[in-house]
């Protein structure tokens, strides 16, 4: 239980109410605020998200009414999807008239929730408000919404319907919310932007209080024009604190701020898959089934379910999540092309227990990703998902990154034998039969990694802080901290006695390895960082920088402890310092206190 949490929530509330222009009832003292609420890589709060791996994105708004086409007054046709108002220069009044006719009477929350269930998608994220500024719930904040500005049944609330339908199927529900708002007149001008923020905060409070989302997926955070977007990193700091104050369990993406490693819980690569596990932050690839997020009646560039299933496997094998999108049409119906592909993905997952390669699985650590497929790991099982099955008698080679023994190998859904030949640095698998399907045949390897040293009994590192940027004099603060996991951003600092703008930090002690092998040390820092382990300078990034990821590797021996020293300075602006590690047997995480011992 983190003792500082109530203080943080209060701090967040102070920030939020200040942002809302509502002075807190009592003048609260400035509180040391640290936005690193927990370690998203290991927190109970994110456990479901890291396990579920596969979600459904839904882009549905009054733009859906146009189905991707707008006929201009001169008769020419402009095509776009959810950006159609802006990119086809539809005048505001005309767009409001179009919205007034929006009537998605065919929206069937049960059918949509079932499509996610059938696909094996464990969570759904629906656009509650896209850039167009149109709220898909009966918001009291303005009249530009599905209840007050449409031809839709005024007794209905599609978000409430979807909440019930997903909950009934044990599927979590989250909301996409665009910061960028093309409709709110106070949005573009920095002078009136605080009024927009007040309304945005009020809408987010409605969404959290009325629907209890598991995820808030922000978007529209980037600097742009038409209309100008005044959103800043400071706005992101306040918004993230506000969301946490509403419900600390919510998983928040990095577009709450400026899409950086220090913003929110999850990175958001879009229409792409990182080619290896992402450093410093959880991540989720979002992707369309064709080429459009919103519905169009002309985009038939559908991806195959085989391709999509292999993408899901590749993402899981790199410890990521896959948020795969559907765009309902003007009636609220999801195209059959989408439904069919999702069903086929679910079929593959439900066959032969093949979903074991995805749910709760992540990067293997013990082997490198092969060219013939992808490998994921869950506990003592490696799942080799083979895209290119070898010719008869052929074999598959895995490059081992650490010593381990394969106890058993079997093809999911087949009785065929798999010969396993291990040599230092490689594993050769020779199946004796055919592949089980055309998408990916999964070979399950039961493995015994080299025994780990027992879990440590550490308590953390000695932390020292100076109210200057060069460690001058005796530290004002000296304490034991259970790990290095700080995100002070603009307003925070390590202690009330340390200024937010200029300070230096040092952590010293011992780090205890549980594995023998190559450890990767990763820092997320702002403004400078230096890391020594076993007296070796591993990371030396002393050029003042914004939020940056640095990493280095070092071979360690299980059971041994090594001197560790980490130095950080804050020279103005934002501040952050996180120290993570990973090994072939340890997924990326903030180095836990139990493996750290304070300096004497
Ligand atoms: O502009 C949006 C776009 O319409 C869509 O919502 C995607 C989905 O992540 N996000 C933005 C583009 O990055």
């Amino acid at each position: 239980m983190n003792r500082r949490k109530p203080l943080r929530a209060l701090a967040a509330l102070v920030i939020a109410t200040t942002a809302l222009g509502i002075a807190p009832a009592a003048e609260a003292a400035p509180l040391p605020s640290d936005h690193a609420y927990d370690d998203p890589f290991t927190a109970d709060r994110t456990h479901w998200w890291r396990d579920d791996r596969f979600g459904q994105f839904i882009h549905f708004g009054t733009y859906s009414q146009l189905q991707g086409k707008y006929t201009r007054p001169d008769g020419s046709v402009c095509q776009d999807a959810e950006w159609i108002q802006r990119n086809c220069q539809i005048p505001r009044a005309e767009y409001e008239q179009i919205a007034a006719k929006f009537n998605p009477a065919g929206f069937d929350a049960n059918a949509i929730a079932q499509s996610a269930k059938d696909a094996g998608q464990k969570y759904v994220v629906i656009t509650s408000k896209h850039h167009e500024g149109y709220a898909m719930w009966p918001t009291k904040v303005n009249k530009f919404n599905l209840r007050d500005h449409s031809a839709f049944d005024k007794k209905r609330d599609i978000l409430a319907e979807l909440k019930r339908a997903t909950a009934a199927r044990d599927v979590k529900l989250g909301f996409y919310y665009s910061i960028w708002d093309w409709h709110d007149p106070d949005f573009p001008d920095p002078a009136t932007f605080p009024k927009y923020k007040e309304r945005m905060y009020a809408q987010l409070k409605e969404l959290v209080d009325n629907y209890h989302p598991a995820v808030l997926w922000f978007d529209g955070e980037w600097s742009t024009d038409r209309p100008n977007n005044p959103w800043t990193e400071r706005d992101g700091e306040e918004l993230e604190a506000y969301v946490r104050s509403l419900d600390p369990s919510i998983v928040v993406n990095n577009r709450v701020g400026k899409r950086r490693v220090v913003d929110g819980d999850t990175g958001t690569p879009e229409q792409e898959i990182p080619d290896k596990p992402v450093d410093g932050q959880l991540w989720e690839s979002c992707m369309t089934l064709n080429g459009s997020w919103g519905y169009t009646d002309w985009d038939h560039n559908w991806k195959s379910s085989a391709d999509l299933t292999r993408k899901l496997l590749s993402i899981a094998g790199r410890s990521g999540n896959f948020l795969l999108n559907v765009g309902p049409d003007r009636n609220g119906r999801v195209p059959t092309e989408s439904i069919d592909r999702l069903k086929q993905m679910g079929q593959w997952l439900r066959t032969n227990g093949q979903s074991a390669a995805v749910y709760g699985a992540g990067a293997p650590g013990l082997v490198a990703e092969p060219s013939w497929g992808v490998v994921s790991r869950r506990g003592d099982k490696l799942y080799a998902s083979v895209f290119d099955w070898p010719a008869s008698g052929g074999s598959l080679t895995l490059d081992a990154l650490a010593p381990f023994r394969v106890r058993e190998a079997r093809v999911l859904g087949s009785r065929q034998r798999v010969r396993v030949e291990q040599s230092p640095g490689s594993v050769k698998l020779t199946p004796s039969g055919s592949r089980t399907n055309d998408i990916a045949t999964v070979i399950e390897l039961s493995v015994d990694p080299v025994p780990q040293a027992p879990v440590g009994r550490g308590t953390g590192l000695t932390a020292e802080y100076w109210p200057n940027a060069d460690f001058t004099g005796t530290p004002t603060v000296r304490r034991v901290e259970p790990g290095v996991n700080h995100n002070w951003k603009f307003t925070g600092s390590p202690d009330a006695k340390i200024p937010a703008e200029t300070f230096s930090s040092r952590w010293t002690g011992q780090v205890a390895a549980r594995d023998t092998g190559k450890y990767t040390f990763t820092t997320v820092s702002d403004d400078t960082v230096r890391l020594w382990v076993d007296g070796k300078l591993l990371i030396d990034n002393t050029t003042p920088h914004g939020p940056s990821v640095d990493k280095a590797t070092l071979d360690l021996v299980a059971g041994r402890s090594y001197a560790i020293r980490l130095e950080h300075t804050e020279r103005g602006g934002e501040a952050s310092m996180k120290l993570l590690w990973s090994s072939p047997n340890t997924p990326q995480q903030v180095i836990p206190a139990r493996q750290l011992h304070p300096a004497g």
Side-chain angles (χ1 to χ4, degrees):
M1 170 63 186
N2 184 320
R3 294 186 310 284
R4 288 187 290 172
K5 198 158 280 189
L7 287 179
R8 286 183 186 152
L10 181 58
L13 198 56
V14 168
I15 292 167
T17 48
T18 309
L20 286 171
I22 307 159
E27 201 52 46
L31 295 166
S33 58
D34 185 337
H35 297 261
Y37 297 82
D38 53 27
D39 173 15
F41 285 102
T42 55
D44 291 343
R45 173 177 66 91
T46 57
H47 190 270
W48 72 266
W49 192 92
R50 290 179 282 114
D51 255 11
D52 284 358
R53 286 283 177 249
F54 187 23
Q56 182 175 116
F57 217 171
I58 303 176
H59 274 69
F60 191 41
T62 197
Y63 47 79
S64 310
Q65 165 107 286
L66 293 168
Q67 312 228 119
K69 277 191 286 211
Y70 167 66
T71 304
R72 295 192 185 94
D74 64 6
S76 62
V77 176
C78 176
Q79 292 193 353
D80 204 305
E82 71 286 352
W83 279 59
I84 194 162
Q85 178 190 357
R86 183 182 184 272
N87 290 351
C88 296
Q89 287 96 34
I90 304 176
R92 178 192 177 90
E94 183 179 352
Y95 197 76
E96 288 176 343
Q97 288 165 3
I98 291 165
K101 300 187 187 98
F102 188 35
N103 182 12
F107 183 88
D108 181 344
N110 283 307
I112 287 178
Q114 194 57 46
S115 76
K117 191 76 177 178
D118 293 348
Q121 292 169 311
K122 303 276 190 175
Y123 59 102
V124 168
V125 177
I126 186 170
T127 49
S128 65
K129 186 199 81 165
H130 205 267
H131 310 330
E132 63 180 1
Y134 188 82
M136 296 298 278
W137 79 97
T139 179
K140 294 188 174 15
V141 172
N142 61 36
K143 295 297 183 189
F144 197 51
N145 65 71
L146 186 56
R147 163 97 27 110
D148 299 318
H149 193 108
S150 73
F152 190 49
D153 178 347
K154 296 200 178 307
K155 294 188 297 299
R156 291 185 62 181
D157 173 349
I158 66 168
L159 297 194
E161 292 169 16
L162 195 57
K163 177 69 179 180
R164 285 192 293 275
T166 49
R169 293 165 175 81
D170 195 22
V171 172
K172 292 194 184 305
L173 179 64
F175 295 133
Y176 165 113
Y177 187 93
S178 175
I179 294 162
W180 196 27
D181 189 306
W182 300 340
H183 191 263
D184 191 307
D186 286 327
F187 186 90
D189 180 349
T192 57
F193 192 64
K195 286 189 195 156
Y196 166 76
K197 272 176 51 172
E198 249 184 75
R199 288 192 282 274
M200 176 176 78
Y201 277 47
Q203 285 197 325
L204 290 169
K205 185 165 177 20
E206 287 179 345
L207 289 171
V208 173
D209 289 352
N210 301 336
Y211 308 99
H212 310 290
V215 174
L216 279 178
W217 210 97
F218 289 98
D219 201 10
E221 83 294 338
W222 57 91
S223 300
T224 184
D225 62 1
R226 291 197 305 121
N228 168 60
N229 187 346
W231 195 252
T232 66
E233 289 83 352
R234 280 182 189 272
D235 292 317
E237 172 175 356
E238 286 175 11
L239 178 57
E240 181 171 350
Y242 181 59
V243 168
R244 308 281 190 200
S245 74
L246 292 175
D247 178 349
S249 71
I250 290 176
V251 175
V252 181
N253 74 344
N254 66 356
R255 303 187 190 185
V256 67
K258 296 295 258 186
R259 213 177 290 201
R260 306 167 304 165
V261 67
V262 291
D263 295 323
D265 301 308
T266 63
T268 53
E270 180 172 318
Q271 304 285 33
E272 60 170 356
I273 300 172
D275 59 7
K276 56 185 179 301
V278 169
D279 299 318
Q281 196 171 39
L282 299 175
W283 63 277
E284 171 191 71
S285 263
C286 59
M287 205 171 281
T288 53
L289 277 165
N290 51 10
S292 309
W293 297 102
Y295 178 85
T296 77
D297 60 14
W298 44 262
D299 182 344
H300 306 297
N301 182 26
W302 299 101
K303 301 175 180 73
S304 71
S305 58
D307 174 35
L308 292 162
T309 304
R310 290 182 175 184
K311 285 177 173 13
L312 173 62
L313 288 163
S314 299
I315 288 169
R318 299 166 194 168
S319 298
N321 282 24
F322 194 19
L323 190 61
L324 189 53
N325 181 74
V326 299
D329 64 19
R330 65 161 56 117
N331 296 309
R333 296 285 184 193
V334 176
T336 48
E337 296 88 344
S338 302
I339 298 291
D340 292 346
R341 282 156 179 79
L342 293 178
K343 260 198 187 124
Q344 289 152 14
M345 292 179 77
Q347 185 64 37
W348 185 92
L349 288 167
R350 282 189 299 278
T351 303
N352 304 329
Q354 288 161 165
S355 65
V358 173
Y359 301 135
L366 296 172
V367 297
E369 184 165 300
S371 59
W372 40 260
V374 66
V375 181
S376 54
R377 177 180 182 181
R378 188 170 63 168
D380 71 340
K381 305 289 187 205
L382 291 183
Y383 294 96
S385 298
V386 185
F387 303 163
D388 306 326
W389 193 253
S392 173
S395 60
L396 302 160
T397 301
L398 286 170
D399 293 338
L401 301 177
F404 66 94
R405 184 175 72 86
V406 178
R407 294 196 312 272
E408 181 200 357
R410 67 187 185 98
V411 173
L412 297 185
S414 162
R415 292 183 175 284
Q416 67 179 283
R417 280 183 41 71
V418 178
R419 191 168 75 244
V420 179
E421 297 162 275
Q422 286 193 262
S423 56
S426 93
V427 180
K428 190 174 166 186
L429 305 170
T430 308
S432 56
S434 311
R435 62 186 176 186
T436 60
N437 67 89
D438 296 340
I439 296 172
T441 296
V442 180
I443 301 175
E444 177 193 76
L445 304 177
S446 300
V447 302
D448 287 330
V450 168
Q452 289 186 301
V455 172
R457 303 165 63 86
T459 56
L461 293 176
T462 301
E464 297 171 299
Y465 296 100
W466 288 257
N468 56 62
D470 50 17
F471 307 93
T472 305
T474 53
T476 306
V477 175
R478 192 173 199 273
R479 62 195 183 202
V480 174
E481 293 189 352
V484 184
N485 182 18
H486 301 292
N487 195 0
W488 297 292
K489 295 199 172 193
F490 288 100
T491 58
S493 78
D495 191 281
K497 298 193 283 293
I498 298 292
E501 278 307 297
T502 305
F503 62 86
S504 41
S505 327
R506 179 181 292 147
W507 294 268
T508 49
Q510 300 269 311
V511 59
R514 291 200 61 206
D515 300 316
T516 293
K518 193 173 293 300
Y519 272 80
T520 300
F521 291 90
T522 301
T523 57
V524 177
S525 66
D526 179 349
D527 289 315
T528 68
V529 62
R530 302 180 87 195
L531 172 67
W532 294 261
V533 178
D534 199 19
K536 301 174 182 70
L537 181 56
L538 296 185
I539 293 174
D540 185 6
N541 186 350
T542 53
T543 305
H545 49 263
S548 302
V549 174
D550 291 276
K551 57 189 222 180
T553 60
L554 185 66
D555 288 321
L556 303 182
V557 173
R560 275 190 53 186
S561 287
Y562 300 82
I564 188 166
R565 176 189 176 118
L566 175 68
E567 290 188 348
H568 157 269
T569 66
E570 151 59 8
R571 296 155 185 256
E574 293 177 286
S576 58
M577 188 66 248
K578 290 193 174 192
L579 178 61
L580 305 99
W581 71 354
S582 64
S583 77
N585 232 351
T586 308
Q588 183 175 206
Q589 59 182 193
V590 170
I591 302 179
R594 61 182 181 274
Q595 300 307 127
L596 298 169
H597 298 271

